[in-house]
Each structure stands twice: as structure tokens, then as C-alpha cells.
Amino acid sequence: MSNCLEGRTVVVFGVANKRSIAWAIAQQMQQAGAQLAITYQNERLKQEADELIAALPNAQAFQCDVSRDEEIAQLFEQLKSRYGKLDALVHSIAFAPAEELKGEFAGTSREGFRVALDISVYSLVALARAARPLMTEGGSVMTLTYYGAEKVVPRYNVMGVAKAALEASVRYLAYDLGKNKIRVNAISAGPIKTLAARGISGFGDMLGAQAERAPLQRNVDVKEVAATAVFLASDGATGITGETIYVDCGYNIMGF
Ligand code: NAD
Ligand code: 0WE
């Protein structure tokens, strides 16, 4: 592993357990030389997250529920006093109430829609804004998205609409933060068996269909997603902003 992130500070949001995409990203960022602030959502996830994070060199754990403005403000005050500046931010958070990921999109409730877009999309806007004054030497903000943003994936429902809004938010943020030399991008990952995916009925079939149709004839490995995150945080990517980069073994290019 190269030292392409030596001397940089990265904050990662969305570690729930060892299967989380955010955890794979945090580990590879650390291997690339970064010092890490890793956040988890709440008291319920604290013990598992704390144990993982304590075992990673140069990493410190923080709690932040992104639905609460005061927790975001408090976190960034802690980050400012602990690190002074930030170089990259990884947003690996999504949530829709479980009942919205069943049945028809047409049945989406007002509250389910609100919650899905608040947690999965608005949080990126709030976190990017809070990170901006700490990214004094420019920076890299990234989020995780999914193909259901642009094509219908049955039962992904309101999350597909949220991911479409997330990808558009990436472009608008890239425009605004470009003047501060802050780049904003999305990684569109193929399906990966994480906690957020495990409860989904038919997820196993999706993995199979994806591997069958993708040019690379297999599913993506979480390490490949993490390697792309390291790249986006590195000087190799200084010309890339506002993009959605697919890490899906090529699945999205196929028409049939
Ligand atoms: P995960 O369950 O490990 O991660 C989701 C995270 O969101 C959890 O850590 C959870 O604590 C956090 N979260 C939810 N509500 C929160 C809140 N209010 N405040 C703070 N954190 C909150 O699952 P994952 O698959 O690693 O998902 C990470 C990201 O990757 C999500 O954006 C997801 O949409 C995206 N993604 C996943 C896949 C996949 O197949 N697993 C594919 C493409 C994109
Ligand atoms: O973004 C996701 C999943 C995000 C997610 C998962 C859950 C499960 C538990 C958001 N909210 C919740 N709420 C819960 O209560 N993915 C890309 C993985 C995923 O989820 C699907 C998929 C795929 C792929 C749901 C239906 C169909 C396909």
C-alpha cells in the first residue's frame, strides 16, 4: 500500500460493524497513511464500533447522529480542537424505514420519504458545510450511492429517489465548494452483503444476477470500493469533482 495519504486527516461516517463499507474505507485510508476520525450513530452501536476503532492505529472514535444539527456542530468542534484541519470526509450513511423497502414505491408515506431524504441526502449537505472551514488546504468529500438512483430496482423504492437526489447534491456541492479547492464525488457501488443489505428479501438473487450480467462476471469486493475511496482522497484525483464513479464490475454499462 502506498503512502498517498501520509499526513492527512480523514473523517469517516457510517461504521456500524466490521461489514460496513465505511469500515473497509477507514482501514484502507489508515493503511495509506491517514489519521482517522471515525463516527458511529448512537449508544447502541458504540461498543462494537469502539472495539473495532480501538484496534486501528491512528484512529479515534466519535458519536454523531446526523439527523441532529447540534450533534453535527458538536462533532466538528471536537474535530477542530483535536486535528485543526481536515483533508477528506467520507459519507457512508443511508436509511429508509424498513416498511418503505417493501411493496410499491407508489405506497411511500410522507414520513418515510422525509426520513429517507433527511438521513440519506440532507446529511451530506450538512456535513460538507460543517467540514468546509476545516478543509483549509482544499479537500475531498465523498459519498456512497447505488444504481437504483437512475434505473428502477424493485423494492429499492424511496431509497432510489434519495440516491438520485444525493447524486444531484454531489454536483451542486461540487460547484459551491470548488472555490475552496474541495472536491465532491460519489462512488456507485454494486451490491455488497452488509447490515443494510442483509435484511432485504431477494438480495441473494440480486447478487447472482449481477455477477451473471456484469462484464467482469462477478460481484464487487468491498476492498475495491475502499481502494476507489483512497484514490478520491489522494492527489491522483485532484482533477475529479462532481462525478459518480461506478465500482460495480461494469454492471451499469449493459443494455441487455
Ligand atoms: P451499513 O448498515 O453498514 O451502513 C449504513 C450506516 O448508516 C450505518 O453505520 C448506520 O449507523 C448509518 N446511519 C443510519 N442512520 C444514521 C444517522 N441518523 N446518523 C448517523 N449514521 C446513521 O451498510 P453499508 O452497506 O455499508 O451502507 C453504507 C452506504 O453504502 C450507504 O449509503 C448505502 O446506501 C451505500 N451502498 C450500499 C450498497 C450495498 O449493497 N451494501 C451498495 C451501494 C451503496
Ligand atoms: O442503499 C442500500 C440499502 C440502504 C438501506 C437499507 C436498509 C435496511 C434496514 C436503507 N435503509 C434501510 N432500512 C432498514 O430498516 N443498498 C444499496 C443495498 C440495497 O438495499 C436494497 C437493495 C439494495 C441493493 C433494497 C431493495 C432492493 C435492493
Side-chain angles (χ1 to χ4, degrees):
M1 181 60 70
S2 80
N3 284 346
C4 63
L5 302 182
E6 202 69 64
R8 310 230 174 143
T9 305
V10 181
V11 58
V12 176
F13 292 83
V15 171
N17 56 43
K18 66 175 197 295
R19 286 218 172 77
S20 295
I21 296 173
W23 179 238
I25 292 174
Q27 289 178 92
Q28 275 196 39
M29 295 268 189
Q30 186 276 324
Q31 282 161 24
Q35 118 178 285
L36 283 150
I38 304 177
T39 77
Y40 55 88
Q41 184 182 353
N42 55 32
E43 211 57 47
R44 187 172 56 79
L45 297 173
K46 179 181 170 64
Q47 196 185 337
E48 194 165 354
D50 271 345
E51 280 172 22
L52 283 175
I53 296 160
L56 192 69
N58 299 317
Q60 198 170 327
F62 299 87
Q63 187 170 316
C64 181
D65 182 332
V66 298
S67 68
R68 305 175 68 92
D69 287 332
E70 63 280 12
E71 288 195 25
I72 294 175
Q74 197 184 19
L75 170 75
F76 279 88
E77 272 170 32
Q78 289 177 282
L79 295 178
K80 190 181 162 98
S81 61
R82 170 75 172 78
Y83 303 104
K85 70 154 187 138
L86 278 180
D87 299 288
L89 182 152
V90 178
H91 174 275
S92 184
I93 288 175
F95 181 77
E99 60 272 21
E100 304 294 355
L101 302 176
K102 300 178 182 131
E104 289 191 328
F105 170 69
T108 305
S109 71
R110 190 183 295 276
E111 180 62 6
F113 190 99
R114 188 195 66 71
V115 168
L117 274 91
D118 183 26
I119 307 299
S120 314
V121 188
Y122 182 75
S123 62
L124 177 71
V125 183
L127 295 179
R129 184 169 58 238
R132 187 182 198 171
L134 293 187
M135 291 185 160
T136 49
E137 293 166 19
S140 176
V141 172
M142 67 196 83
T143 186
L144 274 296
T145 186
Y146 175 61
Y147 188 54
E150 51 186 296
K151 296 285 190 252
V152 173
V153 174
R155 297 189 302 277
Y156 197 57
N157 295 357
V158 73
M159 272 310 307
V161 172
K163 292 301 193 189
L166 182 72
E167 292 175 16
S169 300
V170 162
R171 292 185 284 271
Y172 279 89
L173 287 169
Y175 173 65
D176 286 346
L177 305 197
K179 55 177 90 67
N180 304 106
K181 296 205 177 94
I182 300 169
R183 300 178 291 103
V184 187
N185 293 287
I187 297 172
S188 186
I192 296 171
K193 249 191 190 154
T194 60
L195 182 68
R198 250 182 310 168
I200 313 294
S201 69
F203 192 78
D205 296 341
M206 282 191 53
L207 283 174
Q210 174 101 9
E212 200 170 293
R213 290 186 208 151
L216 295 180
Q217 300 189 344
R218 60 175 177 83
N219 292 118
V220 74
D221 189 288
V222 72
K223 289 199 170 78
E224 298 174 304
V225 175
T228 303
V230 170
F231 165 67
L232 280 175
S234 79
D235 288 344
T238 51
I240 303 175
T241 195
E243 285 297 332
T244 297
I245 299 183
Y246 291 85
V247 184
D248 67 347
C249 296
Y251 183 84
N252 77 94
I253 70 168
M254 300 305 294
F256 183 65

